[in-house]
Amino acid sequence: MKKFFGRLFLALAVPCMLNGILVLALLYERSREAQVLGVIPVLLLSLPAGGMLFLFLWLLFLPVFDKAKTGFRVRMMLGGRRLIYCGLYGMAVQIPVFFKVYVSGTAAETLSPGLRIAGGVLAVCGIFSLLAAGTLRIFFTSRRLSIARRLLMLFTMWIPLVNLAVLLYACRLVYEEYDFEREKVLRSRLRSDTQICKTRYPLLMVHGIGFRDLRYFNYWGRIPRELMKNGAVIYYGNQEALGTIVHNGEDIRTRILQMVKETGASKVNIIAHSKGGLDARYAITRLGMAPYVASLTTMSTPHRGCRFVDYACQLPEGLYRFVAGCFDRTFSRFGDRSPDFYTSTRQFSTEESARFNAETPDDPRVYYQSYASRMKYPWSHLLLAVPFCMIRPLEGENDGLVSTESARWGEFRGVFRNERVRGISHGDMIDLKRQDYKGFDVTEAYVQIVAELKEKGF
């Protein structure tokens, strides 16, 4: 009922707000006909004028009220959707108003041409302000608007009718995002006291190649914060971005021993993405860390190599080493002590992976499990389009870098996918873009993974 009356109020207020000059002029005419003199006409005009100005500013700048308390960003985004709908509604209402004022009716005869022109300018500027403010709010606050969708909004904003269709599409995405965030907030409240991610052993999160555990840009996106909110104790691998498996394995060994000493726990649970899974396996089997590791969960790790790396290895040796040197010099500036792009990338070849697997068997004292994801089309992730197309004919479904078959290791727990056009890429599995996709909640996926580790006694 409250929502109904709120919409009714906006339905009545928006036309009055857009036609403020005409409304005030008619009020003034009625006051003169009633022979109301002195200060009373000024009061009669100032009160509705102030009310309409306040309403307009409130719509433009303030977030909507939300009982679910989804946060300022989401409320501002939802307010942008409301502004767009108010602008479209006001545009539809103005058609009969303009016809009545400019073409026929008593208003066309009573009001002067200058007043009617001023009223028309105010209405047009008001509608434009509502649509522009709403579009800007959505453009800068929505996480479901990808770069391609934002570019679509920019390129179509001056095309009549097409821009309206794009705005309505963006409004639908906004509501889906709001509904997603609202469910997440309600779910968090229901399990706020359960601590479902409070595992027996602390978590060690190990990143993949080409990244570091930076302070101000978390490799794992929003995932660690959600896990800690549900009771998890988290450490990071802090291994190098372009270190070899041997070098990074030593870093992980050092980190495990540090965790055991600091927390007092006898073991740790490792969650590793991409090459991090190989680094962790080396530390467990070859560096004697099995007694200190309860479980290893690998996410999109190329256990059996990547076929497109086999093609890359066929490049001229001089060219490959030149490119490797460029990467090594770059990442040495970011803190890598021993960057080795040449060796670390070639370790992903199928031949090197087979050799690594033979030399690094699983330790029976550690529980191994794995997950994969898959992209649906090359345009699902443009940066991964080329490797996706190279892998698909040879190995089938993949996430743009690693095939589903290569990611299988230990107890295979399944493939993350959704039914949308995009699918789930290699980067989506670590919340790289901090975006939400319909049918896939990356933070909730990790919450459930850790909750299951807790249920298993780890």
Side-chain angles (χ1 to χ4, degrees), residues 28-204:
Y28 182 73
E29 289 292 332
R30 297 297 178 265
S31 66
R32 289 183 59 188
E33 292 174 3
Q35 296 182 347
V36 180
L37 303 175
V39 74
I40 298 179
V42 178
L43 292 175
L44 289 174
L45 297 180
S46 62
L47 289 175
M52 285 186 286
L53 179 62
F54 174 78
L55 174 64
F56 188 72
L57 295 176
W58 171 67
L59 284 174
L60 285 182
F61 299 110
L62 294 181
V64 298
F65 174 76
D66 179 27
K67 292 190 298 183
K69 297 182 179 179
T70 50
F72 181 76
R73 180 192 67 83
V74 178
R75 290 167 56 215
M76 288 295 290
M77 178 189 68
L78 200 61
R81 177 177 178 269
R82 180 184 62 185
L83 282 172
I84 290 176
Y85 279 134
C86 285
L88 295 177
Y89 169 69
M91 187 186 300
V93 170
Q94 285 307 115
I95 296 175
V97 170
F98 279 134
F99 180 81
K100 187 73 174 176
V101 171
Y102 286 91
V103 180
S104 64
T106 56
E109 299 173 357
T110 304
L111 302 175
S112 65
L115 197 59
R116 283 181 283 164
I117 292 174
V121 171
L122 176 68
V124 171
C125 290
I127 291 173
F128 177 79
S129 298
L130 291 172
L131 293 176
T135 303
L136 287 173
R137 279 206 200 185
I138 290 176
F139 191 88
F140 289 108
T141 58
S142 175
R143 287 175 177 164
R144 292 209 175 183
L145 282 180
S146 61
I147 295 176
R149 288 167 176 163
R150 285 181 168 86
L151 291 176
L152 178 65
M153 292 178 69
L154 291 175
F155 291 146
T156 60
M157 63 185 300
W158 305 113
I159 305 175
L161 298 181
V162 176
N163 52 10
L164 297 182
V166 172
L167 281 180
L168 290 174
Y169 172 69
C171 287
R172 182 172 67 83
L173 290 178
V174 163
Y175 189 79
E176 289 178 357
E177 183 174 348
Y178 165 71
D179 197 48
F180 176 85
E181 293 291 340
R182 182 179 58 183
E183 288 184 6
K184 183 186 293 186
V185 169
L186 295 176
R187 185 170 58 227
S188 296
R189 288 178 187 170
L190 288 174
R191 65 187 183 200
S192 59
D193 298 327
T194 61
Q195 298 287 283
I196 63 172
C197 293
K198 191 174 182 179
T199 52
R200 180 181 178 185
Y201 306 114
L203 300 179
L204 175 60

Side-chain angles (χ1 to χ4, degrees), residues 290-407:
Y292 302 100
V293 178
S295 67
L296 170 62
T297 302
T298 58
M299 316 294 294
S300 302
T301 293
H303 293 286
R304 293 169 182 81
C306 301
R307 289 295 182 91
F308 81 92
V309 175
D310 293 346
Y311 290 112
C313 290
Q314 297 175 12
L315 292 172
E317 183 73 9
L319 176 62
Y320 203 111
R321 289 192 177 277
F322 172 77
V323 173
C326 294
F327 275 97
D328 290 345
R329 286 188 293 272
T330 300
F331 277 87
S332 64
R333 296 191 180 98
F334 288 99
D336 271 22
R337 302 182 306 276
S338 304
D340 190 349
F341 180 90
Y342 181 87
T343 304
S344 61
T345 52
R346 285 179 171 255
Q347 289 179 324
F348 292 135
S349 69
T350 53
E351 181 180 350
E352 286 296 321
S353 296
R355 183 180 297 111
F356 175 80
N357 291 336
E359 297 173 351
T360 317
D362 291 348
D363 193 291
R365 292 169 290 183
V366 179
Y367 170 68
Y368 294 82
Q369 64 175 357
S370 58
Y371 292 85
S373 67
R374 73 162 185 133
M375 282 169 51
K376 207 167 185 180
Y377 301 106
W379 55 85
S380 298
H381 196 298
L382 295 180
L383 292 177
L384 301 178
V386 173
F388 172 83
C389 293
M390 295 173 66
I391 296 171
R392 192 169 186 177
L394 299 172
E395 298 180 273
E397 65 178 23
N398 64 88
D399 62 5
L401 286 176
V402 181
S403 69
T404 300
E405 288 303 314
S406 184

